[in-house]
Amino acid sequence: MLEARQLACMRGDRLLFSEIDLHLEAGGLLHVRGPNGSGKSSLLRMLCGLILPEAGDITWQGQNIRKNEDYFRSLTYLGHQNGIKEELSAIENLRITCGLAGFDIDERTAFDALERIGLEGREALPAKVLSQGQRRRVMLARLLVAETPLWILDEPLVALDTDAIGFMRSLFELHLEKGGMMILTTHQELEIAALTTREIRFNS
Amino acid sequence: MNTLTWVLKRDMLLAMRRKSDVLTTLFFFVIMTSLFPLGVGPEPQLLKAMGPGVVWVAALLASMLSLGRLFAADHADGTLEQMLLAPESLALIVLGKTLVHWIASGLPLVLIAPFLGLQFGMNGDALWVLVASLLLGTPVLSLVGAIGASLTLGLRGGGILVSLLVLPLYIPVLIFGAGAVDASTSGLGAQGHLSILGALLVLALLATPMASAAALRISLE
């Protein structure tokens, strides 16, 4: 269970948000909404421990997330940037990001995941020859193999076509059905079925 | 495989696919040292006296020049952010990255140094000492430089800033590195200097990865 109390965030000398409380249990979806620059990404990065909160604290299973190895083993964060290397092939990218995240996958598993996400025949190409949407798919393929309960996704659907968006939606629903948790920002209107759906709305 | 193995594998793959990066550092080193004999004239005594210092200063500058590549590309494409979220310690990842960075930018300098030493009229013993001192000293440059590279990550004009931060810290390595070759040519024996370089290397291995990791966390916030 992920819990945050009274979070505040300063960027420079500007207060982006304050007094944010949130609470996410198994099967729960948290939708973070708001206009550009309102602090959605900062909140997500803060929940990943990349930004220290100005005030308040974040706990995972009752333990503070700072230096909490168990938390980072349970978390998959996908940010704005694709986080893939242009010089490496799709398959190398996927295996390496998984390896660094603490779980190894073999070539077969990586191959299957890339095929399922619609990169059939492009697994061995260097990522620099792939289109923007295809690069996004390489990054998202990690969700097919990761067995982490908590997903924090910052605009995961950018650059994807409608088929891929439909595929991702069913993947999200399956994850939530299995008792996973998800925190999501997106500007697309997307209905995701979940046990509990919460929303945080930022104003500019 | 553990995290360290993955980092080593990843960065070695990337280094192999960007060979030009390795070559530019190496050519910089070669050209830089070759300019001195052309500039000051072919006076053998003078060149012999200057040789160790010139080779070492060139190694310092070449190593500093390549520091920008250590984290900048990973920062730009978001892979560094993912490394910060790895469950294993970030210091270990930094150590792995620095090691590969040294293999790609420091080790080639060590290997080519004897040929450059010949330009300055160094003889057999002095050449061996030069190689040994660079072998012990250049990893220290990469390790200490990693702190500067992580502190200046994402800053405008980071390149100049990193040199101002890092070059003063390179001074001990320069003194004992060039000193080792001088001591050997003047017949004093280079053992003392090399031992101190070895000690600096151990110290840097123990202390700098953690400092770089902390600096990276600050830079990425």
Side-chain angles (χ1 to χ4, degrees):
Chain A
M1 194 176 72
L2 183 71
E3 239 183 327
R5 275 183 300 269
Q6 297 292 304
L7 288 183
C9 176
M10 297 275 284
R11 298 311 270 162
D13 49 9
R14 197 165 79 94
L15 184 69
L16 258 184
F17 55 77
S18 62
E19 293 175 11
I20 299 265
D21 287 296
L22 62 89
H23 169 102
L24 196 66
E25 64 288 298
L29 165 70
L30 175 69
H31 220 128
V32 182
R33 292 180 195 275
N36 296 135
S38 56
K40 302 188 294 294
S41 295
S42 295
L43 176 64
L44 262 50
R45 297 187 77 229
M46 188 176 276
L47 291 173
C48 296
L50 289 169
I51 301 180
L52 285 181
E54 195 67 26
D57 58 346
I58 307 166
T59 56
W60 170 252
Q61 320 288 25
Q63 304 271 325
N64 197 298
I65 62 161
R66 288 272 299 158
K67 306 217 160 125
N68 183 343
E69 205 188 303
D70 175 53
Y71 181 62
F72 292 103
R73 286 203 187 281
S74 315
L75 164 76
T76 300
Y77 165 73
L78 302 180
H80 279 282
Q81 293 153 315
N82 292 334
I84 60 172
K85 298 303 286 184
E86 296 203 329
E87 293 89 346
L88 302 180
S89 71
I91 211 155
E92 287 164 342
N93 265 304
L94 182 58
R95 289 193 67 204
I96 286 168
T97 41
C98 288
L100 288 178
F103 61 99
D104 290 359
I105 56 169
D106 57 26
E107 198 144 331
R108 186 74 244 161
T109 319
F111 201 83
D112 287 344
L114 291 167
E115 208 171 83
R116 273 177 66 201
I117 209 154
L119 290 169
E120 200 177 347
R122 293 181 175 77
E123 297 91 344
L125 292 180
K128 65 178 154 216
V129 306
L130 298 179
S131 76
Q132 203 55 43
Q134 287 171 327
R135 291 180 200 190
R136 201 73 184 166
R137 288 179 198 222
V138 175
M139 165 181 124
L140 291 168
R142 199 170 131 196
L143 296 175
L144 289 171
V145 287
E147 281 167 4
T148 48
L150 175 63
W151 292 358
I152 297 186
L153 311 176
D154 195 350
E155 294 285 349
L157 307 175
V158 166
L160 292 184
D161 58 27
T162 38
D163 282 353
I165 291 177
F167 176 81
M168 289 317 294
R169 200 186 96 176
S170 51
L171 182 67
F172 294 161
E173 285 178 345
L174 184 70
H175 174 68
L176 293 165
E177 209 173 279
K178 285 193 297 191
M181 294 167 230
M182 197 161 90
I183 303 175
L184 180 75
T185 65
T186 172
H187 288 292
Q188 263 124 339
E189 280 310 318
L190 191 70
E191 284 300 320
I192 300 172
L195 211 60
T196 52
T197 304
R198 288 196 171 78
E199 202 179 272
I200 292 183
R201 197 172 277 278
F202 284 114
N203 303 313
S204 50
Chain B
M1 285 204 273
N2 61 19
T3 314
L4 184 62
T5 331
W6 276 112
V7 175
L8 294 177
K9 188 182 163 184
R10 168 188 187 274
D11 280 28
M12 281 309 286
L13 261 177
L14 286 171
M16 307 271 265
R17 294 196 187 158
R18 285 191 300 220
K19 289 198 193 70
S20 60
D21 285 358
V22 178
L23 291 178
T24 43
T25 312
L26 193 60
F27 279 123
F28 174 83
F29 183 56
V30 172
I31 290 175
M32 176 85 197
T33 42
S34 310
L35 286 178
F36 280 85
L38 295 175
V40 299
E43 187 73 46
Q45 272 326 100
L46 188 60
L47 287 180
K48 212 167 185 173
M50 280 190 349
V54 168
V55 173
W56 258 99
V57 168
L60 243 59
L61 294 179
S63 137
M64 196 199 65
L65 216 60
S66 62
L67 279 179
R69 291 197 297 268
L70 187 49
F71 299 114
D74 289 349
H75 178 51
D77 59 25
T79 44
L80 193 62
E81 197 171 61
Q82 290 293 338
M83 288 179 195
L84 259 63
L85 297 175
E88 302 249 350
S89 101
L90 181 61
L92 201 66
I93 295 179
V94 170
L95 182 65
K97 287 188 70 64
T98 316
L99 188 66
V100 176
H101 179 260
W102 174 74
I103 293 174
S105 69
L107 191 58
L109 307 189
V110 178
L111 297 178
I112 205 156
F115 301 100
L116 300 174
L118 286 175
Q119 290 191 110
F120 294 94
M122 290 186 203
N123 55 15
D125 262 357
L127 289 177
W128 277 114
V129 172
L130 179 68
V131 170
S133 68
L134 284 169
L135 199 59
L136 289 169
T138 46
V140 182
L141 303 182
S142 293
L143 286 162
V144 171
I147 304 178
S150 39
L151 275 175
T152 55
L153 201 59
L155 294 184
R156 240 176 330 121
I160 299 288
L161 198 57
V162 83
S163 52
L164 292 180
L165 275 174
V166 158
L167 281 178
L169 298 175
Y170 282 177
I171 291 173
V173 185
L174 173 67
I175 291 174
F176 291 106
V181 189
D182 279 335
S184 150
T185 32
S186 57
L188 290 173
Q191 217 141 40
H193 289 87
L194 293 180
S195 308
I196 291 180
L197 279 179
L200 286 175
L201 177 57
V202 172
L203 198 68
L205 274 173
L206 289 175
T208 60
M210 270 180 275
S212 307
L216 278 181
R217 287 199 190 278
I218 296 169
S219 292
L220 259 75
E221 187 165 295

